[in-house]
């Protein structure tokens, strides 16, 4: 790629991804790599002349307790450098300053005074102090602080307990901030990062998904040639966009395998097949007419795709394997392993039969950049592991196939933009996240077909009402105003009354949250009238449920999903 680029070196922060997302939102390409890359690697990374700046992330350690430091080449390449939290501290220490533990730790909201009208912070402020100082509302997370500046640096920001909360060497274009501009709690954080990337680094904002299609298509064609590709199609955003993009590149050389494990939402299996198994292809240029035969349009402007899809209905197999299992982690493992086993068996059949021409040699996956970053952090042990990702695992080796991951450089919001640019239906591309185990982790305890059928109906009613209820101030539906919404089945019964009779039926909980990054989330304050209508419809229309509750827990301490 010929794009200007920003390199982010990761020292193990849980929010390093947010730095990259903010930069990508400014339409500048960036990559995240572990902090322990070598100086030789870094010089090679910069050899094409497109490296315009480097950002050193935060981390959970203390610079005086660990050996994690930036490669010396960071400060020798002549490009601007921004250190954030730990990144600022290692910059200070490596360049001759001093870092010590602080008697007063700062975690959470803080107000920072800006000093010196530096290029990074000039004219960026939230309010003025009574003395006239420009002040910033920021998010702090540190127990150490820089106590002596390196030669050539000056103070750029301060708080009463952290006199050096920001530092700058403007001659070399080196900057450090003790707070975190990447998180939404830092009000001017986006402006600071854009100032660094667009103005100080002078990076071109040319990373745009519609333009990326042609680049990605050419890359797929070059990698695959005339060989065959198989892809596990779940109906989720990532696999659907990957399928559309690959199909755009190589057409009938792609075969999709859709494993219907019986834990999907209402009519989802039929929807996936309807969307992918007929009509005209996704991603056709606007000025190119679609085939006249069989072309149809799906909801909100998307075009159907006539990719080859093999549907495998193994719902009973999954239900049998899950019988009597209540532990959520055990359920996840059973579902994940069985999914892989079924896909492997189908892939072997396709490979043996020749798929379409001569047999698949590539396995395509919807791996996206957060998966790559988190897996890399787990391997380097720089970050505390929160979760592992199955789609960066060893499935290609088990199948004897090469790996094709056309979305591995993209964040979720970029995948959605790409899907729309390819012509996928807006409602599908912007659907709320759905867990890999499906309804298996939205049915508490043991999974039974009866429970799944009841949950499917109740969840469909909730989502339908969210979509149809418009919030008057914004003009948006409550579905669009929530980040994730779903129904949870509780395997308990409660007494109710309908007409003149007694009922003893199941309970469901509604869950709706609002979040910008899914790392923290607030429960959505849905209108009472909406909740009342949803509850009434579920109880009246879904025979077997007589009580509806609403989850008002935020994350943390709760998680978004119940299991």
């Amino acid at each position: 790629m010929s794009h200007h680029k920003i390199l982010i070196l990761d020292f193990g922060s849980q929010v390093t991804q947010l730095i990259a997302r903010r930069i990508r939102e400014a339409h500048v390409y960036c990559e995240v790599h572990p902090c322990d890359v070598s100086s030789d690697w870094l010089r090679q990374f910069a050899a094409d002349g497109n490296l315009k700046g480097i950002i050193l992330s935060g981390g959970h350690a203390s610079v005086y307790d660990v050996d994690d430091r930036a490669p010396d080449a960071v400060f020798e390449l002549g490009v601007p450098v921004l250190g954030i939290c730990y990144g600022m501290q290692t910059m200070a220490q490596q360049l001759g300053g001093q870092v010590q533990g602080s008697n007063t730790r700062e975690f959470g909201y803080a107000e920072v005074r800006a000093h010196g009208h530096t290029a990074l912070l000039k004219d960026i402020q939230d309010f003025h102090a009574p003395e006239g100082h420009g002040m910033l509302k920021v998010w702090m997370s540190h127990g150490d602080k820089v106590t002596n500046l390196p030669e050539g640096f000056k103070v750029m920001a301060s708080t009463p307990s952290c006199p050096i909360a920001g530092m700058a060497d403007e001659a070399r274009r080196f900057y450090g901030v003790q707070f975190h501009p990447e998180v939404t709690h830092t009000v001017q954080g986006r402006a600071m990062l854009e100032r660094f990337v667009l103005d100080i680094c002078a990076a071109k904002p040319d990373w745009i998904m519609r333009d990326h299609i042609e680049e990605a298509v050419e890359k797929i064609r070059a990698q695959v040639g005339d060989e065959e590709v198989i892809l596990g199609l779940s109906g989720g955003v990532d696999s659907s966009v990957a399928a559309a993009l690959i199909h755009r590149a190589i057409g009938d050389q792609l075969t999709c395998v859709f494993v219907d494990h019986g834990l999907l939402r209402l009519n989802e299996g039929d929807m996936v097949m309807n969307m992918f198994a007929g009509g005209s292809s996704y991603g056709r240029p606007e000025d190119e007419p679609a085939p006249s035969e069989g072309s149809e349009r799906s909801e909100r402007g998307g075009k159907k795709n006539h990719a080859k899809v093999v549907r495998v209905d193994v719902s009973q197999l999954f239900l049998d394997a899950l019988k009597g299992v209540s532990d959520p982690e055990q359920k996840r493992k059973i579902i994940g392993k069985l999914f892989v086993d079924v896909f492997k068996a189908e892939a072997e059949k396709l490979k043996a039969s020749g798929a379409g021409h001569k047999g698949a040699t590539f396995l395509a996956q919807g791996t996206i950049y957060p998966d790559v970053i988190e897996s890399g952090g787990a391997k380097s042990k720089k970050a505390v592991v929160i979760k592992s990702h199955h789609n960066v695992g060893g499935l290609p080796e088990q199948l004897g196939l090469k790996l094709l991951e056309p979305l591995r450089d993209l964040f979720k919001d970029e995948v959605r933009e790409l899907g729309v640019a390819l012509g996928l239906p807006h409602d599908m591309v912007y659907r709320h996240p759905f867990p890999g185990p499906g309804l298996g982790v939205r049915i508490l305890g043991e999974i039974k077909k009866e429970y799944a059928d009841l949950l499917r109906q109740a969840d469909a009613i909730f989502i339908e009402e969210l979509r149809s209820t418009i919030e008057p101030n914004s003009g948006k539906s409550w579905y669009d105003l929530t980040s994730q919404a779903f129904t949870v089945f509780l395997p308990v019964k409660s007494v109710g009354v309908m007409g003149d009779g007694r009922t003893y039926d199941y309970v469901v909980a509604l869950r709706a949250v609002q979040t910008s990054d899914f790392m923290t989330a607030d429960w959505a304050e849905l209108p009472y009238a909406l909740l009342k209508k949803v509850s009434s419809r579920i109880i009246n229309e879904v025979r077997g449920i007589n009580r509806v509750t609403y989850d008002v827990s935020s994350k943390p301490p709760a998680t978004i999903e119940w299991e």
Side-chain angles (χ1 to χ4, degrees), residues 466 471 478 481-482 512-514 522-531 550-552 554:
L466 285 172
E471 196 281 319
W478 273 103
L481 291 173
T482 53
V513 299
Q514 294 173 316
D522 293 322
W523 61 275
E525 297 185 29
L526 300 180
Y528 287 159
L530 170 57
L531 291 171
Y550 187 53
D551 182 351
V552 293
S554 293

Side-chain angles (χ1 to χ4, degrees), residues 16-71:
T16 298
Q17 287 187 32
L18 296 184
I19 305 173
R21 282 188 58 194
R22 300 293 174 257
I23 294 170
R24 295 281 187 91
E25 286 166 2
H27 298 295
V28 174
Y29 181 73
C30 63
E31 292 185 16
V32 178
H33 290 275
C35 63
D36 55 3
V37 297
S38 68
S39 285
D40 287 343
W41 179 93
L42 181 51
R43 292 188 184 97
Q44 184 62 38
F45 186 81
D48 61 4
N50 287 319
L51 179 62
K52 295 300 177 181
I54 299 172
I55 297 178
L56 310 177
S57 85
H60 55 83
S62 297
V63 295
Y64 45 78
D65 285 339
V66 296
D67 294 329
D68 293 342
R69 48 183 281 136

Side-chain angles (χ1 to χ4, degrees), residues 311-376:
R311 181 176 185 175
V312 188
D313 187 347
V314 284
S315 52
Q316 193 59 51
L317 178 68
F318 276 74
L319 287 171
D320 290 344
L322 291 164
K323 189 173 182 179
V325 178
S326 297
D327 179 74
E329 280 303 306
Q330 192 177 354
K331 287 195 293 185
R332 284 178 178 272
K333 289 176 181 177
I334 290 171
I335 293 168
K337 181 180 184 303
L338 200 53
F339 185 93
V340 170
D341 290 344
V342 171
F343 183 80
K344 282 172 62 177
E346 293 302 317
E348 292 288 359
K349 289 179 189 176
L350 289 169
K351 193 174 179 183
S353 68
H357 300 103
K358 55 188 178 184
T361 55
F362 278 92
L363 170 67
Q365 294 188 150
T367 307
I368 62 175
Y369 203 35
D371 302 341
V372 176
I373 294 171
E374 290 186 21
S375 296

Side-chain angles (χ1 to χ4, degrees), residues 461 531-542 548:
I461 289 170
L531 291 171
K532 182 177 181 180
K533 187 175 182 181
V534 172
S535 175
S536 177
R537 282 196 60 193
I538 290 175
I539 292 171
N540 281 290
E541 297 176 31
V542 185
V548 176

Side-chain angles (χ1 to χ4, degrees), residues 284-306:
R284 191 174 299 280
E286 292 181 3
D287 58 351
E288 180 181 329
S292 57
E293 182 179 346
S295 68
E296 298 178 53
R297 289 207 167 251
S298 352
E299 192 174 5
R300 292 180 73 176
K303 300 174 226 174
K304 288 186 179 180
N305 187 303
H306 59 179

Side-chain angles (χ1 to χ4, degrees), residues 191-207:
M192 296 175 204
L193 290 172
E194 289 185 358
R195 171 72 59 79
F196 178 73
V197 170
L198 298 175
D199 297 342
I200 295 172
C201 298
K204 290 189 298 187
D206 61 356
W207 180 249

